[in-house]
């Protein structure tokens, strides 16, 4: 009976794993086939891989430039989001007052507001800054709304709850100022938290579609999701070329996750201690 129960569990997990992995397998197989075979549901390795890659990088959509745009936006967003959100979370937890707790509660309530409801106010605000480095149709207009989010502030504050406050007091006695305490005492001990936050932020920025669609109006400013959407919106979409683009677009986030997966798990567990 115990063997049968164990077998059923492994069978159930195997089915779930197959369901989860199959879309990725189909996507990889699709990049080797032409549009007709993909539409027909062919699940075999084809001979169109090189042609699909050539069509992708030779298309008028300039996929190479889109990769560079997405990389610049995602990296800058991640770096500044980790810095500012961790500083905010650190400040809310270490220097606690009733006023700051009320502000933090309001910040948490802001997480309930969908981003679609904020797009029009954001667009109106940034459109008034047109012609400046942070106006509409600049990378800054995509980066700034994601630099300091309520979720990341909450995430860092929850992690800092487990941070020994005695280290802060000892550092103050040794003569370190508050900024150096944050940079030289807290940050080195929170590597796992930063790794988990980096994965979340990079993935959200890399896959961001709705706000860049509104804010970036020039074809040369398009990001990868916008280019992939344009491929599918054509009158006769080339699905083989699209699959190549999707696979390439998936690689950066997958690589970052697999490199930092151990720190990601530890960082997520550390945030709820």
């Amino acid at each position: 009976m115990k063997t049968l129960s164990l077998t059923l569990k492994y069978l159930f997990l195997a089915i779930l794993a197959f369901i989860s992995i199959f879309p990725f397998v189909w996507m990889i197989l699709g990049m080797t086939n032409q549009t007709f075979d993909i539409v027909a549901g062919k699940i075999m390795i084809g001979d169109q891989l090189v042609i699909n890659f050539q069509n992708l990088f030779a298309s008028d959509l300039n996929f190479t430039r889109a990769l560079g745009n997405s990389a610049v936006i995602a990296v800058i967003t991640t770096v500044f989001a980790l810095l500012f959100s961790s500083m905010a979370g650190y400040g809310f937890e270490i220097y606690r007052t009733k006023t700051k707790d009320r502000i933090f509660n309001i910040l948490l309530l802001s997480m309930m507001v969908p981003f679609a409801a904020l797009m029009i106010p954001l667009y109106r605000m940034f459109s008034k800054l047109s012609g400046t480095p942070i106006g509409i149709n600049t990378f800054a207009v995509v980066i700034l709304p994601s630099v300091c989010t309520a979720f990341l502030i909450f995430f860092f504050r929850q992690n800092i709850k487990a941070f020994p406050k005695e280290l802060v007091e000892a550092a103050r006695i040794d003569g370190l100022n508050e900024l150096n305490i944050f940079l030289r005492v807290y940050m080195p001990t929170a590597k796992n938290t930063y790794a988990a936050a980096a994965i979340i932020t990079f993935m959200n920025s890399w896959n961001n579609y709705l706000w860049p669609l509104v804010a970036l109006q020039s074809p040369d400013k398009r990001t990868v999701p916008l280019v992939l959407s344009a491929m599918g919106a054509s009158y006769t979409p080339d699905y083989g070329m699209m699959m190549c683009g999707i696979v390439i677009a998936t690689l950066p986030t997958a690589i970052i996750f697999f490199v930092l997966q151990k720190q990601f798990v530890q960082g997520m567990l550390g945030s709820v201690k």
Side-chain angles (χ1 to χ4, degrees):
M1 183 62 69
K2 185 176 180 180
T3 304
L4 178 61
S5 176
L6 190 62
T7 302
L8 291 176
K9 288 181 180 179
Y10 279 113
L11 179 62
F12 177 71
L13 292 175
I15 293 173
L16 289 181
F18 175 77
I19 294 174
S20 301
I21 295 174
F22 178 77
F24 296 97
V25 175
W26 181 81
M27 180 175 65
I28 293 172
L29 293 176
M31 67 188 292
T32 67
N33 289 289
Q34 56 185 347
T35 300
F36 175 81
D37 294 327
I38 296 173
V39 173
K42 178 182 177 181
I43 310 178
M44 296 287 290
I45 297 177
D47 57 356
Q48 301 294 309
L49 179 62
V50 176
I51 295 175
N52 288 334
F53 267 107
Q54 290 175 345
N55 293 338
L56 175 65
F57 289 101
S59 67
D60 296 334
L61 295 172
N62 204 339
F63 188 74
T64 304
R65 189 178 185 87
L67 284 174
N69 294 341
S70 289
V72 169
I73 293 173
V75 170
I76 294 177
T77 300
T78 301
V79 171
F80 282 102
L82 294 184
L83 178 61
F84 294 136
S85 297
S86 61
M87 291 180 69
Y90 180 87
F92 274 119
E93 182 60 27
I94 299 298
Y95 314 111
R96 296 191 64 174
T97 63
K98 290 184 178 179
T99 303
K100 287 182 180 179
D101 287 340
R102 293 192 186 99
I103 294 174
F104 185 74
N105 291 334
I106 296 173
L107 189 67
L108 292 182
L109 287 175
S110 69
M111 295 174 63
M112 302 176 64
V113 181
F115 183 78
L118 303 175
M119 281 198 308
I120 294 178
L122 278 174
Y123 185 85
R124 287 177 60 87
M125 180 179 69
F126 284 111
S127 63
K128 293 179 180 179
L129 300 172
S130 296
T132 69
I134 57 173
I136 291 295
N137 201 34
T138 63
F139 290 159
V141 78
V142 179
I143 295 170
L144 288 177
S146 303
V147 159
C148 200
T149 63
F151 170 76
L152 279 184
I153 294 174
F154 170 76
F155 179 75
F156 277 105
R157 187 186 183 186
Q158 290 301 107
N159 178 269
I160 294 169
K161 288 181 181 293
F163 179 69
K165 306 303 186 295
E166 295 80 7
L167 292 178
V168 176
E169 297 299 330
R172 288 171 179 167
I173 293 173
D174 289 339
L176 284 180
N177 58 38
E178 299 301 320
L179 180 59
N180 279 324
I181 292 174
F182 174 77
L183 295 176
R184 299 172 60 180
V185 178
Y186 168 69
M187 290 185 70
T189 64
K191 293 179 180 178
N192 294 333
T193 307
Y194 278 98
I199 292 174
I200 295 170
T201 306
F202 185 89
M203 290 179 66
N204 288 339
S205 180
W206 182 268
N207 296 322
N208 192 9
Y209 172 75
L210 188 57
W211 179 236
L213 176 65
V214 174
L216 300 178
Q217 301 170 350
S218 300
D220 61 332
K221 297 289 181 65
R222 287 176 176 172
T223 58
V224 170
L226 299 184
V227 169
L228 293 177
S229 176
M231 290 180 186
S234 61
Y235 185 73
T236 55
D238 187 337
Y239 290 116
M241 181 179 69
M242 285 182 60
M243 293 300 169
C244 288
I246 294 172
V247 170
I248 294 174
T250 305
L251 287 178
T253 54
I255 291 172
I256 289 176
F257 177 79
F258 284 117
V259 170
L260 300 176
Q261 61 178 326
K262 183 178 179 180
Q263 291 82 356
F264 176 78
V265 173
Q266 293 175 351
M268 295 300 292
L269 291 176
S271 66
V272 296
K273 285 183 179 178

